[in-house]
Amino acid sequence: MNKAVQLLVAWDEFDQLYPEADLDQFCRYYLAKKEHLKANYQNSQGLLLKIMGRITSAYSLYHRAAMSKTKLPSPESFYFLNGLAHLGEVKKTDLINYLFYEYTTGMEVISKLLKDNLILEKVDLADKRAKLISLTAKGKQVLNGSYIQSAKVSEMIFNGMNNDSIKLCIELLVDIEEKHSKWVPELKNKEFDEMYHTICK
């Protein structure tokens, strides 16, 4: 096949997968794909998960240290306050599911936030049996201060990686994130076989 035709075919495939991406992102994707083929990885899915897992572990270490510089009762509190900042007034279980936390652990974090007056709860007028939680003024203030430390952690993780490469990673992984954001709350209490068959059917 003519080299120009090969390139056009590759561009068409990429454009169908990532219609919002630009030419620079295509070039990086194309070169990465070529390098991937050269490397002939035995288990590319496993390697990618290993890389992602180790990055996440490093992030968790840095995040815990960074949050110790804030007025939060625990490092996990950041995620709960940030989740409320995005979701607004919600039920406790909705916030816990949004963050992929186990129920007991999530309720412990929420209890600490209530005790420290960083969030408040009130009766849901639409369902008197349920309660809604939201940020207090103090919670917003503490969260805004925490963003400064959180930004430093992001800077540490991606130090030396250019912004275009980060954008390409987003393009490649955003669909996977959205897929599992949908499935995890529904499947987290199921047996593994049911999880597998639901996702991979």
Side-chain angles (χ1 to χ4, degrees), residues 92-147:
K92 295 174 186 177
T93 50
D94 290 340
L95 177 61
I96 291 169
N97 286 334
Y98 173 75
L99 296 172
F100 299 165
Y101 267 72
E102 293 297 327
Y103 178 80
T104 303
T105 304
M107 290 301 291
E108 288 176 358
V109 177
I110 289 172
S111 293
K112 290 179 182 178
L113 293 173
L114 285 167
K115 182 179 178 181
D116 286 10
N117 194 35
L118 298 175
I119 64 175
L120 59 85
E121 65 178 343
K122 68 177 187 179
V123 174
D124 183 357
L125 296 178
D127 180 2
K128 298 294 176 64
R129 298 167 298 176
K131 291 185 178 180
L132 302 174
I133 55 173
S134 60
L135 289 171
T136 61
K138 180 183 176 183
K140 291 176 184 177
Q141 183 180 18
V142 171
L143 178 61
N144 287 335
S146 302
Y147 282 143

Side-chain angles (χ1 to χ4, degrees), residues 34-135:
K34 297 289 280 188
E35 288 301 315
H36 168 77
L37 291 174
K38 285 181 188 176
N40 192 27
Y41 295 125
Q42 292 283 324
N43 180 4
S44 56
Q45 291 180 345
L47 178 58
L48 178 57
L49 287 171
K50 174 190 172 184
I51 291 169
M52 292 169 62
R54 291 183 69 82
I55 291 171
T56 301
S57 294
Y59 170 82
S60 295
L61 175 70
Y62 304 149
H63 174 78
R64 286 194 300 273
M67 292 303 107
S68 70
K69 310 287 287 184
T70 72
K71 297 179 179 179
L72 292 170
S74 68
E76 296 78 15
S77 300
F78 173 80
Y79 304 121
F80 282 74
L81 294 183
N82 186 55
L84 281 176
H86 285 87
L87 297 175
E89 198 173 61
V90 293
K91 295 178 182 178
K92 295 174 186 177
T93 50
D94 290 340
L95 177 61
I96 291 169
N97 286 334
Y98 173 75
L99 296 172
F100 299 165
Y101 267 72
E102 293 297 327
Y103 178 80
T104 303
T105 304
M107 290 301 291
E108 288 176 358
V109 177
I110 289 172
S111 293
K112 290 179 182 178
L113 293 173
L114 285 167
K115 182 179 178 181
D116 286 10
N117 194 35
L118 298 175
I119 64 175
L120 59 85
E121 65 178 343
K122 68 177 187 179
V123 174
D124 183 357
L125 296 178
D127 180 2
K128 298 294 176 64
R129 298 167 298 176
K131 291 185 178 180
L132 302 174
I133 55 173
S134 60
L135 289 171

Side-chain angles (χ1 to χ4, degrees), residues 146-163:
S146 302
Y147 282 143
I148 297 171
Q149 300 301 328
S150 177
K152 291 179 180 178
V153 177
S154 298
E155 183 182 356
M156 291 166 69
I157 289 292
F158 296 110
N159 183 40
M161 187 174 184
N162 68 60
N163 199 46

